[in-house]
Amino acid sequence: MSTAREQSASAGARVVSADGTEIAFEQSGSGPAVVLVASALADRSDTTKLAALLAQHFTVVNYDRRGRGASGDANAYAPDREVEDIAALIEHVGGSASLFGSSSGAVLALRAAAAGVHVDRLALYEPPFVVAEDDDGPPKDLAQQINALLAEGRHSDAVKYFMTRVQGMPGVAVFFMKFMPKMWANLTKLARTLPYDIAVMGDTQQGKPLDAEEWKAVAARTRVLTGGKSPAAFQRAARAVVEILPQADHRTLPGLNHGAVVMAPRKLAPPIIEFIKG
């Protein structure tokens, strides 16, 4: 990968990824570096509180994934470009860092480690693999449905479709979210990146065992965290990750669900800190 060039801008700190895309981030704290990798429909604002808690122990890089917030984007997308973004951020902090990723961001963090990016430790919160035939996965035509809605400019409908058909939220809950204009406007703005997360997940949500060959290069010590209130499918996915990685274990956190990064950062931070400190 090419060397990342650091730049400063009014929007905050930036690195330039291998394809020339500017990636915006905030850096705080001191000590070993940790890069936070956001989930679908999220930018660095969603991990601000978690970043502040972790920054009491680590150098925390909280960044906007490409196409989100203050980060740039390119005409063509591939998950490899986002892996290069993570590599550029790790280079910025000295060439070595741990990663914390949630949901599809956890899978992106795994892909970075599998691609050979220098990762010290991987803390993953509920990677949404679907590994059992009876577990509900997203619609088979998810990518086509989302792309069609975005092509028609129906970004709000794309968010609703993803939240109800993929994340399993009740339609009435999504309806009331629309009465929070600032939050809904941000979600609608992020809708254009939904195909990115769909691509990151690839074929891992089809109710089949994970392909060990795809992840065999992940050498970093890995901990998969799941919430005790989350559906059992997340527990099965976590165990599947542990089975195929050489240095992985699983912890269930009582009382938490899939939204813990935003809704319960004070409960999520301690197990992340404990694991990364080793």
Side-chain angles (χ1 to χ4, degrees):
M1 294 180 187
S2 65
T3 300
R5 293 176 289 113
E6 297 165 29
Q7 293 187 346
S8 60
S10 58
R14 294 170 184 254
V15 295
V16 178
S17 193
D19 70 345
T21 300
E22 292 187 354
I23 303 300
F25 68 96
E26 295 174 353
Q27 183 173 320
S28 56
S30 61
V34 182
V35 178
L36 307 185
V37 188
S39 64
L41 293 175
D43 57 22
R44 61 180 166 173
S45 66
D46 292 271
T47 41
T48 297
K49 291 181 180 179
L50 180 62
L53 295 167
L54 297 180
Q56 298 174 29
H57 303 269
F58 309 112
T59 297
V60 178
V61 174
N62 188 21
Y63 79 104
D64 286 326
R65 286 174 55 186
R66 62 173 52 211
R68 312 178 190 207
S71 286
D73 205 353
N75 291 329
Y77 177 81
D80 286 349
R81 303 293 79 76
E82 291 215 72
V83 168
E84 291 167 353
D85 300 344
I86 292 172
L89 291 161
I90 291 178
E91 185 179 334
H92 163 75
V93 291
S96 179
S98 295
L99 301 179
F100 169 77
S102 60
S103 196
S104 56
V107 179
L108 178 55
L110 265 173
R111 292 199 182 282
V117 176
H118 192 120
V119 176
D120 294 328
R121 292 192 171 211
L122 278 171
L124 310 175
Y125 189 73
E126 298 198 341
F129 296 128
V130 180
V131 297
E133 191 174 345
D134 293 336
D135 288 337
D136 290 332
K140 299 294 185 185
D141 62 347
L142 172 64
Q144 294 92 322
Q145 292 288 347
I146 292 293
N147 286 332
L149 290 170
L150 295 177
E152 295 170 8
R154 297 167 58 190
H155 289 206
S156 180
D157 289 337
V159 172
K160 179 181 177 181
Y161 186 89
F162 188 83
M163 285 184 159
T164 55
R165 299 298 301 276
V166 180
Q167 296 180 327
M169 290 182 63
V172 66
V174 178
F175 173 79
F176 282 110
M177 287 175 71
K178 293 183 179 181
F179 290 95
M180 295 177 272
K182 185 176 180 181
M183 181 186 69
W184 191 256
N186 193 48
L187 290 170
T188 301
K189 190 183 299 183
L190 293 168
R192 62 179 295 275
T193 64
L194 283 172
Y196 299 3
D197 290 276
I198 295 169
V200 166
M201 295 307 303
D203 63 356
T204 64
Q205 294 182 300
Q206 297 181 2
K208 299 183 298 185
L210 295 177
D211 180 3
E213 188 72 15
E214 186 174 9
W215 310 102
K216 68 178 184 180
V218 178
R221 177 86 182 274
T222 302
R223 176 156 297 168
V224 188
L225 302 169
T226 53
K229 287 188 174 181
S230 292
F234 286 115
Q235 319 296 331
R236 284 188 279 274
R239 290 194 293 270
V241 173
V242 170
E243 287 174 5
I244 64 171
L245 298 187
Q247 296 192 81
D249 59 25
H250 170 219
R251 298 286 187 277
T252 298
L253 308 179
L256 300 187
N257 60 23
H258 199 59
V261 170
V262 175
M263 303 303 294
R266 290 191 177 278
K267 293 182 179 180
L268 184 57
I272 297 172
I273 294 164
E274 177 191 12
F275 170 64
I276 294 177
K277 281 190 170 183

